[in-house]
Amino acid sequence: MITKFTLARHFGAGLVAGALLSLVACDREQPSASIAAEVSSKEASAEKVQAADFTAPFVPSGKRQLLFIGQDRKSIDSYVDSGFFPAPGGVTAYIVPIYELRNPDKYFGGMGLDNDLQPSERAADWGGGPANAWKLAQDFPDSALAIGLDINESFREGGLASIAAGEFDAEIDKLADFIRLVESPVFLRIGYEFDGVWNQGYEKANEYVAAWQHIVTRIRAGGTGDKGPENVAFIWQGSASPADDAIEGKYEADISIWYPGDEYVDWIGLSWFLLIDESGIHSDIAKEEMATQRELGDQILEFARVKQKPVFLAEAAPQGYDLKQEFNANINVMIDGPSAQGKIAVAGADIWQQWFAPFFEYIDQNQDVIRAVAYINCNWDEQPMWGAPYNNGFWGDTRIETNAVITDLWLQEIRNARWAHAQSLQKKSDALEQQQVTAQ
C-alpha cells in the first residue's frame, strides 16, 4: 500500500519556502466515507472538490499547485540557469517508447540507466531535445519527476496487445526499478494524450486500457524488488486538443472509453496549447460548433471531479508565439492557416494578455482540482521535430527568460503563495540589490 510521504522525505529541505508543504499519499483502496457520499449521484460532477478529499499521492496541501518545467534538458536548464526563477517543484522527462527500455541502441528510451541499472551518460534525442531521465532526477533531487511514457504503436505494430500479454514485462520491471531508485515523487504519464489521433493504436480503446492496467499492475508488483515503488503516481492524460477534433471532424463526447479505472488512476491530466477560446477548423463543421480549448479542458476537469481525482495540467505552452522575437504566426491549417505564415508582431505584454493571463485565470478558477501544472519552456523552432518545415505545425519559442516583460509578469504570478517550488523565490536583480546593500 501507499504510505504517507512528507515533503521533507521526497523534496528535501530545499523546498521549504516559508512553510513546509506536505504531499500526501493515502491508501488508494480505502476512499473516505465523505468522498463516497459526495459521488453517490451524477450531480457530483458539478460540485467543487476539496483538497482534503483527494486520496491520490503527492497532492499539495492548502489548494497549492506544484509547478513543473519541461520538457527536455536544454529547455529546463535554460529556465533554471537564467537565475531569475526558483528551481521548479517538478521537472519533465520522456521515456520513448516503452518497447525500447532495454535496447542500448535506442539509448534505453531516454531512461538513463543500462540493463544493470547503472547510470548512462548517453542522452536520447528524437528531435525534441536531449533526454536522460535518470540524470535529470539526480541533478534536481528536490524536484518531482514527471515522465511521459509513450506506448503508441507507431513504434511497434500490435504493441498494446503485446504489453497486455506480458511480452514487455522485462521493460516494465526495469521501469519499476528506475522509479524506486529515483526516490523523489514520480508522476508517470502512461500513454499520454490517449485521445490524440496522432497516437497510433490508441483508437483501440479496449487495448489501450488493457495495456495501461497491465503496466500499473506490474509496477505495483515491484519489478525486481520485493514490493512496488511507493513514490509513484499514475497519470491518465487527455489531449484536450481542438486540433484533434479538427483532424477527426468530431468531438470525443465519451472519454470514459479510455479510462483504465479508479483503482489504476491516481491523477487525471490534460494538455493546453491554444488561446483559451480558440477552436479548430473543419470544412464540414461551422467554426462556432467546434469545441474550444476551454471547453475541452472543462470536459476533462468535470470528469476528474466525478472521479474525485486531482488534475495535472501536464503540458502547456503558448503555441504559435515566439516570446524572444515577439511575434505570432499560424499554427497549422487545422487551427488558423498554413504553418508559420501570417506572422504579426506582438509585444510581450500583449502575449501575456492573450495567452498567459487567461491560462492562469483558468487555473485559479479551477484550483479545486488543478493541483499541478507543467510549462514547456522551449525553443521549439530549433528542434528538428518541431522546426521548419513544420510538419508538426508551428510552435515558436516559449522560453520565459527570453522576454523581460514576460519574465517579470511570470515572477509576479509564481510568487503567489499557491505555487510550490523547490527553493525560495529569488531573482538575480534582488540578489544583486542585497549584495549592494551589504557592501554599503
Side-chain angles (χ1 to χ4, degrees), residues 292-317:
T292 65
Q293 179 71 83
R294 183 201 305 268
E295 291 167 338
L296 293 170
D298 286 347
Q299 179 190 29
I300 290 182
L301 265 57
E302 287 308 301
F303 189 90
R305 289 187 176 106
V306 170
K307 295 297 183 180
Q308 297 280 341
K309 302 289 186 181
V311 170
F312 184 9
L313 215 165
E315 299 179 42

mmCIF file with all atom_site columns, all heavy atoms in Angstrom, residues 292-317:
data_model
loop_
_atom_site.group_PDB
_atom_site.id
_atom_site.type_symbol
_atom_site.label_atom_id
_atom_site.label_alt_id
_atom_site.label_comp_id
_atom_site.label_asym_id
_atom_site.label_entity_id
_atom_site.label_seq_id
_atom_site.pdbx_PDB_ins_code
_atom_site.Cartn_x
_atom_site.Cartn_y
_atom_site.Cartn_z
_atom_site.occupancy
_atom_site.B_iso_or_equiv
_atom_site.pdbx_formal_charge
_atom_site.auth_seq_id
_atom_site.auth_comp_id
_atom_site.auth_asym_id
_atom_site.auth_atom_id
_atom_site.pdbx_PDB_model_num
ATOM 1   N N   . THR A 1 292 ? -13.777 24.542 -28.125 1.00 0.00 ? 292 THR A N   1
ATOM 2   C CA  . THR A 1 292 ? -12.618 25.392 -27.848 1.00 0.00 ? 292 THR A CA  1
ATOM 3   C C   . THR A 1 292 ? -11.678 24.723 -26.850 1.00 0.00 ? 292 THR A C   1
ATOM 4   O O   . THR A 1 292 ? -12.013 23.708 -26.232 1.00 0.00 ? 292 THR A O   1
ATOM 5   C CB  . THR A 1 292 ? -13.070 26.735 -27.265 1.00 0.00 ? 292 THR A CB  1
ATOM 6   O OG1 . THR A 1 292 ? -13.674 26.500 -25.985 1.00 0.00 ? 292 THR A OG1 1
ATOM 7   C CG2 . THR A 1 292 ? -14.063 27.434 -28.184 1.00 0.00 ? 292 THR A CG2 1
ATOM 8   N N   . GLN A 1 293 ? -10.492 25.345 -26.676 1.00 0.00 ? 293 GLN A N   1
ATOM 9   C CA  . GLN A 1 293 ? -9.540  24.856 -25.679 1.00 0.00 ? 293 GLN A CA  1
ATOM 10  C C   . GLN A 1 293 ? -10.187 24.834 -24.298 1.00 0.00 ? 293 GLN A C   1
ATOM 11  O O   . GLN A 1 293 ? -10.031 23.868 -23.537 1.00 0.00 ? 293 GLN A O   1
ATOM 12  C CB  . GLN A 1 293 ? -8.305  25.747 -25.662 1.00 0.00 ? 293 GLN A CB  1
ATOM 13  C CG  . GLN A 1 293 ? -7.251  25.357 -24.651 1.00 0.00 ? 293 GLN A CG  1
ATOM 14  C CD  . GLN A 1 293 ? -6.534  24.079 -25.025 1.00 0.00 ? 293 GLN A CD  1
ATOM 15  O OE1 . GLN A 1 293 ? -5.603  24.083 -25.818 1.00 0.00 ? 293 GLN A OE1 1
ATOM 16  N NE2 . GLN A 1 293 ? -6.954  22.961 -24.452 1.00 0.00 ? 293 GLN A NE2 1
ATOM 17  N N   . ARG A 1 294 ? -10.935 25.882 -23.957 1.00 0.00 ? 294 ARG A N   1
ATOM 18  C CA  . ARG A 1 294 ? -11.603 25.948 -22.659 1.00 0.00 ? 294 ARG A CA  1
ATOM 19  C C   . ARG A 1 294 ? -12.609 24.800 -22.501 1.00 0.00 ? 294 ARG A C   1
ATOM 20  O O   . ARG A 1 294 ? -12.642 24.130 -21.465 1.00 0.00 ? 294 ARG A O   1
ATOM 21  C CB  . ARG A 1 294 ? -12.336 27.280 -22.514 1.00 0.00 ? 294 ARG A CB  1
ATOM 22  C CG  . ARG A 1 294 ? -13.003 27.473 -21.157 1.00 0.00 ? 294 ARG A CG  1
ATOM 23  C CD  . ARG A 1 294 ? -14.100 28.524 -21.224 1.00 0.00 ? 294 ARG A CD  1
ATOM 24  N NE  . ARG A 1 294 ? -13.654 29.811 -21.747 1.00 0.00 ? 294 ARG A NE  1
ATOM 25  C CZ  . ARG A 1 294 ? -13.206 30.815 -21.002 1.00 0.00 ? 294 ARG A CZ  1
ATOM 26  N NH1 . ARG A 1 294 ? -13.154 30.686 -19.685 1.00 0.00 ? 294 ARG A NH1 1
ATOM 27  N NH2 . ARG A 1 294 ? -12.842 31.963 -21.565 1.00 0.00 ? 294 ARG A NH2 1
ATOM 28  N N   . GLU A 1 295 ? -13.414 24.586 -23.522 1.00 0.00 ? 295 GLU A N   1
ATOM 29  C CA  . GLU A 1 295 ? -14.467 23.564 -23.438 1.00 0.00 ? 295 GLU A CA  1
ATOM 30  C C   . GLU A 1 295 ? -13.880 22.156 -23.323 1.00 0.00 ? 295 GLU A C   1
ATOM 31  O O   . GLU A 1 295 ? -14.401 21.312 -22.575 1.00 0.00 ? 295 GLU A O   1
ATOM 32  C CB  . GLU A 1 295 ? -15.389 23.674 -24.648 1.00 0.00 ? 295 GLU A CB  1
ATOM 33  C CG  . GLU A 1 295 ? -16.238 24.934 -24.635 1.00 0.00 ? 295 GLU A CG  1
ATOM 34  C CD  . GLU A 1 295 ? -16.910 25.210 -25.961 1.00 0.00 ? 295 GLU A CD  1
ATOM 35  O OE1 . GLU A 1 295 ? -16.439 24.713 -27.015 1.00 0.00 ? 295 GLU A OE1 1
ATOM 36  O OE2 . GLU A 1 295 ? -17.907 25.959 -25.963 1.00 0.00 ? 295 GLU A OE2 1
ATOM 37  N N   . LEU A 1 296 ? -12.794 21.893 -24.044 1.00 0.00 ? 296 LEU A N   1
ATOM 38  C CA  . LEU A 1 296 ? -12.163 20.578 -23.950 1.00 0.00 ? 296 LEU A CA  1
ATOM 39  C C   . LEU A 1 296 ? -11.477 20.393 -22.600 1.00 0.00 ? 296 LEU A C   1
ATOM 40  O O   . LEU A 1 296 ? -11.468 19.290 -22.051 1.00 0.00 ? 296 LEU A O   1
ATOM 41  C CB  . LEU A 1 296 ? -11.174 20.399 -25.099 1.00 0.00 ? 296 LEU A CB  1
ATOM 42  C CG  . LEU A 1 296 ? -11.825 20.312 -26.486 1.00 0.00 ? 296 LEU A CG  1
ATOM 43  C CD1 . LEU A 1 296 ? -10.774 20.373 -27.583 1.00 0.00 ? 296 LEU A CD1 1
ATOM 44  C CD2 . LEU A 1 296 ? -12.656 19.042 -26.619 1.00 0.00 ? 296 LEU A CD2 1
ATOM 45  N N   . GLY A 1 297 ? -10.908 21.496 -22.069 1.00 0.00 ? 297 GLY A N   1
ATOM 46  C CA  . GLY A 1 297 ? -10.363 21.435 -20.719 1.00 0.00 ? 297 GLY A CA  1
ATOM 47  C C   . GLY A 1 297 ? -11.456 21.171 -19.698 1.00 0.00 ? 297 GLY A C   1
ATOM 48  O O   . GLY A 1 297 ? -11.304 20.346 -18.794 1.00 0.00 ? 297 GLY A O   1
ATOM 49  N N   . ASP A 1 298 ? -12.592 21.870 -19.850 1.00 0.00 ? 298 ASP A N   1
ATOM 50  C CA  . ASP A 1 298 ? -13.715 21.688 -18.930 1.00 0.00 ? 298 ASP A CA  1
ATOM 51  C C   . ASP A 1 298 ? -14.197 20.237 -18.923 1.00 0.00 ? 298 ASP A C   1
ATOM 52  O O   . ASP A 1 298 ? -14.568 19.698 -17.868 1.00 0.00 ? 298 ASP A O   1
ATOM 53  C CB  . ASP A 1 298 ? -14.882 22.593 -19.326 1.00 0.00 ? 298 ASP A CB  1
ATOM 54  C CG  . ASP A 1 298 ? -14.643 24.057 -18.997 1.00 0.00 ? 298 ASP A CG  1
ATOM 55  O OD1 . ASP A 1 298 ? -13.685 24.355 -18.248 1.00 0.00 ? 298 ASP A OD1 1
ATOM 56  O OD2 . ASP A 1 298 ? -15.418 24.905 -19.491 1.00 0.00 ? 298 ASP A OD2 1
ATOM 57  N N   . GLN A 1 299 ? -14.195 19.618 -20.089 1.00 0.00 ? 299 GLN A N   1
ATOM 58  C CA  . GLN A 1 299 ? -14.654 18.224 -20.180 1.00 0.00 ? 299 GLN A CA  1
ATOM 59  C C   . GLN A 1 299 ? -13.816 17.312 -19.284 1.00 0.00 ? 299 GLN A C   1
ATOM 60  O O   . GLN A 1 299 ? -14.359 16.479 -18.543 1.00 0.00 ? 299 GLN A O   1
ATOM 61  C CB  . GLN A 1 299 ? -14.567 17.743 -21.632 1.00 0.00 ? 299 GLN A CB  1
ATOM 62  C CG  . GLN A 1 299 ? -14.995 16.285 -21.815 1.00 0.00 ? 299 GLN A CG  1
ATOM 63  C CD  . GLN A 1 299 ? -14.679 15.754 -23.211 1.00 0.00 ? 299 GLN A CD  1
ATOM 64  O OE1 . GLN A 1 299 ? -13.723 16.203 -23.860 1.00 0.00 ? 299 GLN A OE1 1
ATOM 65  N NE2 . GLN A 1 299 ? -15.478 14.808 -23.676 1.00 0.00 ? 299 GLN A NE2 1
ATOM 66  N N   . ILE A 1 300 ? -12.506 17.487 -19.334 1.00 0.00 ? 300 ILE A N   1
ATOM 67  C CA  . ILE A 1 300 ? -11.633 16.642 -18.525 1.00 0.00 ? 300 ILE A CA  1
ATOM 68  C C   . ILE A 1 300 ? -11.738 17.001 -17.047 1.00 0.00 ? 300 ILE A C   1
ATOM 69  O O   . ILE A 1 300 ? -11.746 16.119 -16.174 1.00 0.00 ? 300 ILE A O   1
ATOM 70  C CB  . ILE A 1 300 ? -10.179 16.740 -19.033 1.00 0.00 ? 300 ILE A CB  1
ATOM 71  C CG1 . ILE A 1 300 ? -10.079 16.053 -20.400 1.00 0.00 ? 300 ILE A CG1 1
ATOM 72  C CG2 . ILE A 1 300 ? -9.199  16.112 -18.036 1.00 0.00 ? 300 ILE A CG2 1
ATOM 73  C CD1 . ILE A 1 300 ? -8.704  16.031 -21.010 1.00 0.00 ? 300 ILE A CD1 1
ATOM 74  N N   . LEU A 1 301 ? -11.839 18.282 -16.741 1.00 0.00 ? 301 LEU A N   1
ATOM 75  C CA  . LEU A 1 301 ? -11.968 18.684 -15.342 1.00 0.00 ? 301 LEU A CA  1
ATOM 76  C C   . LEU A 1 301 ? -13.256 18.167 -14.717 1.00 0.00 ? 301 LEU A C   1
ATOM 77  O O   . LEU A 1 301 ? -13.263 17.724 -13.560 1.00 0.00 ? 301 LEU A O   1
ATOM 78  C CB  . LEU A 1 301 ? -11.904 20.208 -15.225 1.00 0.00 ? 301 LEU A CB  1
ATOM 79  C CG  . LEU A 1 301 ? -10.517 20.790 -14.904 1.00 0.00 ? 301 LEU A CG  1
ATOM 80  C CD1 . LEU A 1 301 ? -9.478  20.380 -15.926 1.00 0.00 ? 301 LEU A CD1 1
ATOM 81  C CD2 . LEU A 1 301 ? -10.588 22.312 -14.797 1.00 0.00 ? 301 LEU A CD2 1
ATOM 82  N N   . GLU A 1 302 ? -14.347 18.191 -15.465 1.00 0.00 ? 302 GLU A N   1
ATOM 83  C CA  . GLU A 1 302 ? -15.602 17.676 -14.923 1.00 0.00 ? 302 GLU A CA  1
ATOM 84  C C   . GLU A 1 302 ? -15.518 16.164 -14.703 1.00 0.00 ? 302 GLU A C   1
ATOM 85  O O   . GLU A 1 302 ? -16.051 15.638 -13.721 1.00 0.00 ? 302 GLU A O   1
ATOM 86  C CB  . GLU A 1 302 ? -16.764 18.023 -15.854 1.00 0.00 ? 302 GLU A CB  1
ATOM 87  C CG  . GLU A 1 302 ? -17.149 19.497 -15.827 1.00 0.00 ? 302 GLU A CG  1
ATOM 88  C CD  . GLU A 1 302 ? -17.393 20.004 -14.414 1.00 0.00 ? 302 GLU A CD  1
ATOM 89  O OE1 . GLU A 1 302 ? -18.273 19.456 -13.723 1.00 0.00 ? 302 GLU A OE1 1
ATOM 90  O OE2 . GLU A 1 302 ? -16.681 20.936 -13.985 1.00 0.00 ? 302 GLU A OE2 1
ATOM 91  N N   . PHE A 1 303 ? -14.842 15.463 -15.618 1.00 0.00 ? 303 PHE A N   1
ATOM 92  C CA  . PHE A 1 303 ? -14.634 14.028 -15.435 1.00 0.00 ? 303 PHE A CA  1
ATOM 93  C C   . PHE A 1 303 ? -13.822 13.779 -14.161 1.00 0.00 ? 303 PHE A C   1
ATOM 94  O O   . PHE A 1 303 ? -14.118 12.869 -13.378 1.00 0.00 ? 303 PHE A O   1
ATOM 95  C CB  . PHE A 1 303 ? -13.913 13.458 -16.655 1.00 0.00 ? 303 PHE A CB  1
ATOM 96  C CG  . PHE A 1 303 ? -13.838 11.960 -16.688 1.00 0.00 ? 303 PHE A CG  1
ATOM 97  C CD1 . PHE A 1 303 ? -14.836 11.211 -17.290 1.00 0.00 ? 303 PHE A CD1 1
ATOM 98  C CD2 . PHE A 1 303 ? -12.767 11.279 -16.116 1.00 0.00 ? 303 PHE A CD2 1
ATOM 99  C CE1 . PHE A 1 303 ? -14.771 9.815  -17.316 1.00 0.00 ? 303 PHE A CE1 1
ATOM 100 C CE2 . PHE A 1 303 ? -12.692 9.905  -16.132 1.00 0.00 ? 303 PHE A CE2 1
ATOM 101 C CZ  . PHE A 1 303 ? -13.705 9.168  -16.745 1.00 0.00 ? 303 PHE A CZ  1
ATOM 102 N N   . ALA A 1 304 ? -12.807 14.611 -13.956 1.00 0.00 ? 304 ALA A N   1
ATOM 103 C CA  . ALA A 1 304 ? -11.967 14.461 -12.764 1.00 0.00 ? 304 ALA A CA  1
ATOM 104 C C   . ALA A 1 304 ? -12.770 14.707 -11.491 1.00 0.00 ? 304 ALA A C   1
ATOM 105 O O   . ALA A 1 304 ? -12.562 14.034 -10.477 1.00 0.00 ? 304 ALA A O   1
ATOM 106 C CB  . ALA A 1 304 ? -10.773 15.414 -12.833 1.00 0.00 ? 304 ALA A CB  1
ATOM 107 N N   . ARG A 1 305 ? -13.667 15.676 -11.533 1.00 0.00 ? 305 ARG A N   1
ATOM 108 C CA  . ARG A 1 305 ? -14.480 15.947 -10.341 1.00 0.00 ? 305 ARG A CA  1
ATOM 109 C C   . ARG A 1 305 ? -15.386 14.769 -10.012 1.00 0.00 ? 305 ARG A C   1
ATOM 110 O O   . ARG A 1 305 ? -15.557 14.408 -8.839  1.00 0.00 ? 305 ARG A O   1
ATOM 111 C CB  . ARG A 1 305 ? -15.299 17.223 -10.553 1.00 0.00 ? 305 ARG A CB  1
ATOM 112 C CG  . ARG A 1 305 ? -14.460 18.504 -10.536 1.00 0.00 ? 305 ARG A CG  1
ATOM 113 C CD  . ARG A 1 305 ? -15.321 19.757 -10.575 1.00 0.00 ? 305 ARG A CD  1
ATOM 114 N NE  . ARG A 1 305 ? -14.488 20.948 -10.451 1.00 0.00 ? 305 ARG A NE  1
ATOM 115 C CZ  . ARG A 1 305 ? -14.193 21.773 -11.444 1.00 0.00 ? 305 ARG A CZ  1
ATOM 116 N NH1 . ARG A 1 305 ? -14.680 21.543 -12.653 1.00 0.00 ? 305 ARG A NH1 1
ATOM 117 N NH2 . ARG A 1 305 ? -13.420 22.828 -11.236 1.00 0.00 ? 305 ARG A NH2 1
ATOM 118 N N   . VAL A 1 306 ? -15.969 14.162 -11.030 1.00 0.00 ? 306 VAL A N   1
ATOM 119 C CA  . VAL A 1 306 ? -16.808 12.984 -10.795 1.00 0.00 ? 306 VAL A CA  1
ATOM 120 C C   . VAL A 1 306 ? -15.987 11.864 -10.168 1.00 0.00 ? 306 VAL A C   1
ATOM 121 O O   . VAL A 1 306 ? -16.441 11.175 -9.247  1.00 0.00 ? 306 VAL A O   1
ATOM 122 C CB  . VAL A 1 306 ? -17.446 12.496 -12.115 1.00 0.00 ? 306 VAL A CB  1
ATOM 123 C CG1 . VAL A 1 306 ? -18.119 11.142 -11.926 1.00 0.00 ? 306 VAL A CG1 1
ATOM 124 C CG2 . VAL A 1 306 ? -18.466 13.516 -12.622 1.00 0.00 ? 306 VAL A CG2 1
ATOM 125 N N   . LYS A 1 307 ? -14.759 11.703 -10.652 1.00 0.00 ? 307 LYS A N   1
ATOM 126 C CA  . LYS A 1 307 ? -13.903 10.612 -10.183 1.00 0.00 ? 307 LYS A CA  1
ATOM 127 C C   . LYS A 1 307 ? -13.131 10.972 -8.916  1.00 0.00 ? 307 LYS A C   1
ATOM 128 O O   . LYS A 1 307 ? -12.385 10.146 -8.388  1.00 0.00 ? 307 LYS A O   1
ATOM 129 C CB  . LYS A 1 307 ? -12.912 10.231 -11.284 1.00 0.00 ? 307 LYS A CB  1
ATOM 130 C CG  . LYS A 1 307 ? -13.569 9.644  -12.524 1.00 0.00 ? 307 LYS A CG  1
ATOM 131 C CD  . LYS A 1 307 ? -14.282 8.345  -12.216 1.00 0.00 ? 307 LYS A CD  1
ATOM 132 C CE  . LYS A 1 307 ? -14.872 7.715  -13.447 1.00 0.00 ? 307 LYS A CE  1
ATOM 133 N NZ  . LYS A 1 307 ? -15.568 6.437  -13.118 1.00 0.00 ? 307 LYS A NZ  1
ATOM 134 N N   . GLN A 1 308 ? -13.302 12.201 -8.445  1.00 0.00 ? 308 GLN A N   1
ATOM 135 C CA  . GLN A 1 308 ? -12.595 12.665 -7.255  1.00 0.00 ? 308 GLN A CA  1
ATOM 136 C C   . GLN A 1 308 ? -11.072 12.514 -7.414  1.00 0.00 ? 308 GLN A C   1
ATOM 137 O O   . GLN A 1 308 ? -10.366 12.064 -6.510  1.00 0.00 ? 308 GLN A O   1
ATOM 138 C CB  . GLN A 1 308 ? -13.070 11.912 -6.005  1.00 0.00 ? 308 GLN A CB  1
ATOM 139 C CG  . GLN A 1 308 ? -14.530 12.135 -5.669  1.00 0.00 ? 308 GLN A CG  1
ATOM 140 C CD  . GLN A 1 308 ? -14.776 13.449 -4.957  1.00 0.00 ? 308 GLN A CD  1
ATOM 141 O OE1 . GLN A 1 308 ? -13.854 14.036 -4.401  1.00 0.00 ? 308 GLN A OE1 1
ATOM 142 N NE2 . GLN A 1 308 ? -16.003 13.919 -4.959  1.00 0.00 ? 308 GLN A NE2 1
ATOM 143 N N   . LYS A 1 309 ? -10.579 12.934 -8.578  1.00 0.00 ? 309 LYS A N   1
ATOM 144 C CA  . LYS A 1 309 ? -9.152  12.853 -8.874  1.00 0.00 ? 309 LYS A CA  1
ATOM 145 C C   . LYS A 1 309 ? -8.575  14.259 -9.049  1.00 0.00 ? 309 LYS A C   1
ATOM 146 O O   . LYS A 1 309 ? -9.199  15.118 -9.687  1.00 0.00 ? 309 LYS A O   1
ATOM 147 C CB  . LYS A 1 309 ? -8.896  12.053 -10.157 1.00 0.00 ? 309 LYS A CB  1
ATOM 148 C CG  . LYS A 1 309 ? -9.447  10.626 -10.143 1.00 0.00 ? 309 LYS A CG  1
ATOM 149 C CD  . LYS A 1 309 ? -8.683  9.718  -9.211  1.00 0.00 ? 309 LYS A CD  1
ATOM 150 C CE  . LYS A 1 309 ? -9.174  8.275  -9.331  1.00 0.00 ? 309 LYS A CE  1
ATOM 151 N NZ  . LYS A 1 309 ? -8.457  7.376  -8.404  1.00 0.00 ? 309 LYS A NZ  1
ATOM 152 N N   . PRO A 1 310 ? -7.382  14.522 -8.528  1.00 0.00 ? 310 PRO A N   1
ATOM 153 C CA  . PRO A 1 310 ? -6.715  15.796 -8.814  1.00 0.00 ? 310 PRO A CA  1
ATOM 154 C C   . PRO A 1 310 ? -6.269  15.852 -10.263 1.00 0.00 ? 310 PRO A C   1
ATOM 155 O O   . PRO A 1 310 ? -6.083  14.819 -10.916 1.00 0.00 ? 310 PRO A O   1
ATOM 156 C CB  . PRO A 1 310 ? -5.518  15.779 -7.862  1.00 0.00 ? 310 PRO A CB  1
ATOM 157 C CG  . PRO A 1 310 ? -5.213  14.324 -7.667  1.00 0.00 ? 310 PRO A CG  1
ATOM 158 C CD  . PRO A 1 310 ? -6.549  13.628 -7.702  1.00 0.00 ? 310 PRO A CD  1
ATOM 159 N N   . VAL A 1 311 ? -6.080  17.064 -10.764 1.00 0.00 ? 311 VAL A N   1
ATOM 160 C CA  . VAL A 1 311 ? -5.732  17.267 -12.170 1.00 0.00 ? 311 VAL A CA  1
ATOM 161 C C   . VAL A 1 311 ? -4.312  17.810 -12.298 1.00 0.00 ? 311 VAL A C   1
ATOM 162 O O   . VAL A 1 311 ? -3.909  18.729 -11.582 1.00 0.00 ? 311 VAL A O   1
ATOM 163 C CB  . VAL A 1 311 ? -6.728  18.228 -12.849 1.00 0.00 ? 311 VAL A CB  1
ATOM 164 C CG1 . VAL A 1 311 ? -6.243  18.642 -14.237 1.00 0.00 ? 311 VAL A CG1 1
ATOM 165 C CG2 . VAL A 1 311 ? -8.107  17.577 -12.949 1.00 0.00 ? 311 VAL A CG2 1
ATOM 166 N N   . PHE A 1 312 ? -3.586  17.228 -13.242 1.00 0.00 ? 312 PHE A N   1
ATOM 167 C CA  . PHE A 1 312 ? -2.248  17.670 -13.613 1.00 0.00 ? 312 PHE A CA  1
ATOM 168 C C   . PHE A 1 312 ? -2.342  18.263 -15.012 1.00 0.00 ? 312 PHE A C   1
ATOM 169 O O   . PHE A 1 312 ? -2.598  17.553 -15.980 1.00 0.00 ? 312 PHE A O   1
ATOM 170 C CB  . PHE A 1 312 ? -1.300  16.471 -13.590 1.00 0.00 ? 312 PHE A CB  1
ATOM 171 C CG  . PHE A 1 312 ? 0.163   16.780 -13.856 1.00 0.00 ? 312 PHE A CG  1
ATOM 172 C CD1 . PHE A 1 312 ? 0.646   18.071 -13.927 1.00 0.00 ? 312 PHE A CD1 1
ATOM 173 C CD2 . PHE A 1 312 ? 1.069   15.732 -14.015 1.00 0.00 ? 312 PHE A CD2 1
ATOM 174 C CE1 . PHE A 1 312 ? 1.982   18.339 -14.157 1.00 0.00 ? 312 PHE A CE1 1
ATOM 175 C CE2 . PHE A 1 312 ? 2.425   15.978 -14.245 1.00 0.00 ? 312 PHE A CE2 1
ATOM 176 C CZ  . PHE A 1 312 ? 2.877   17.286 -14.322 1.00 0.00 ? 312 PHE A CZ  1
ATOM 177 N N   . LEU A 1 313 ? -2.178  19.578 -15.121 1.00 0.00 ? 313 LEU A N   1
ATOM 178 C CA  . LEU A 1 313 ? -2.117  20.211 -16.429 1.00 0.00 ? 313 LEU A CA  1
ATOM 179 C C   . LEU A 1 313 ? -0.701  19.951 -16.939 1.00 0.00 ? 313 LEU A C   1
ATOM 180 O O   . LEU A 1 313 ? 0.215   20.728 -16.704 1.00 0.00 ? 313 LEU A O   1
ATOM 181 C CB  . LEU A 1 313 ? -2.428  21.698 -16.296 1.00 0.00 ? 313 LEU A CB  1
ATOM 182 C CG  . LEU A 1 313 ? -3.203  22.341 -17.437 1.00 0.00 ? 313 LEU A CG  1
ATOM 183 C CD1 . LEU A 1 313 ? -3.762  23.690 -17.030 1.00 0.00 ? 313 LEU A CD1 1
ATOM 184 C CD2 . LEU A 1 313 ? -2.349  22.442 -18.672 1.00 0.00 ? 313 LEU A CD2 1
ATOM 185 N N   . ALA A 1 314 ? -0.540  18.819 -17.620 1.00 0.00 ? 314 ALA A N   1
ATOM 186 C CA  . ALA A 1 314 ? 0.769   18.185 -17.771 1.00 0.00 ? 314 ALA A CA  1
ATOM 187 C C   . ALA A 1 314 ? 1.612   18.694 -18.927 1.00 0.00 ? 314 ALA A C   1
ATOM 188 O O   . ALA A 1 314 ? 2.813   18.413 -18.982 1.00 0.00 ? 314 ALA A O   1
ATOM 189 C CB  . ALA A 1 314 ? 0.586   16.668 -17.902 1.00 0.00 ? 314 ALA A CB  1
ATOM 190 N N   . GLU A 1 315 ? 1.025   19.405 -19.865 1.00 0.00 ? 315 GLU A N   1
ATOM 191 C CA  . GLU A 1 315 ? 1.776   20.004 -20.969 1.00 0.00 ? 315 GLU A CA  1
ATOM 192 C C   . GLU A 1 315 ? 1.101   21.320 -21.314 1.00 0.00 ? 315 GLU A C   1
ATOM 193 O O   . GLU A 1 315 ? -0.084  21.332 -21.644 1.00 0.00 ? 315 GLU A O   1
ATOM 194 C CB  . GLU A 1 315 ? 1.783   19.099 -22.205 1.00 0.00 ? 315 GLU A CB  1
ATOM 195 C CG  . GLU A 1 315 ? 2.421   17.743 -22.007 1.00 0.00 ? 315 GLU A CG  1
ATOM 196 C CD  . GLU A 1 315 ? 2.365   16.900 -23.281 1.00 0.00 ? 315 GLU A CD  1
ATOM 197 O OE1 . GLU A 1 315 ? 2.607   17.460 -24.378 1.00 0.00 ? 315 GLU A OE1 1
ATOM 198 O OE2 . GLU A 1 315 ? 2.064   15.705 -23.194 1.00 0.00 ? 315 GLU A OE2 1
ATOM 199 N N   . ALA A 1 316 ? 1.849   22.410 -21.253 1.00 0.00 ? 316 ALA A N   1
ATOM 200 C CA  . ALA A 1 316 ? 1.266   23.711 -21.564 1.00 0.00 ? 316 ALA A CA  1
ATOM 201 C C   . ALA A 1 316 ? 2.314   24.659 -22.125 1.00 0.00 ? 316 ALA A C   1
ATOM 202 O O   . ALA A 1 316 ? 3.437   24.726 -21.611 1.00 0.00 ? 316 ALA A O   1
ATOM 203 C CB  . ALA A 1 316 ? 0.629   24.326 -20.319 1.00 0.00 ? 316 ALA A CB  1
ATOM 204 N N   . ALA A 1 317 ? 1.944   25.382 -23.169 1.00 0.00 ? 317 ALA A N   1
ATOM 205 C CA  . ALA A 1 317 ? 2.804   26.409 -23.763 1.00 0.00 ? 317 ALA A CA  1
ATOM 206 C C   . ALA A 1 317 ? 1.967   27.195 -24.760 1.00 0.00 ? 317 ALA A C   1
ATOM 207 O O   . ALA A 1 317 ? 1.010   26.663 -25.331 1.00 0.00 ? 317 ALA A O   1
ATOM 208 C CB  . ALA A 1 317 ? 4.019   25.792 -24.459 1.00 0.00 ? 317 ALA A CB  1
#
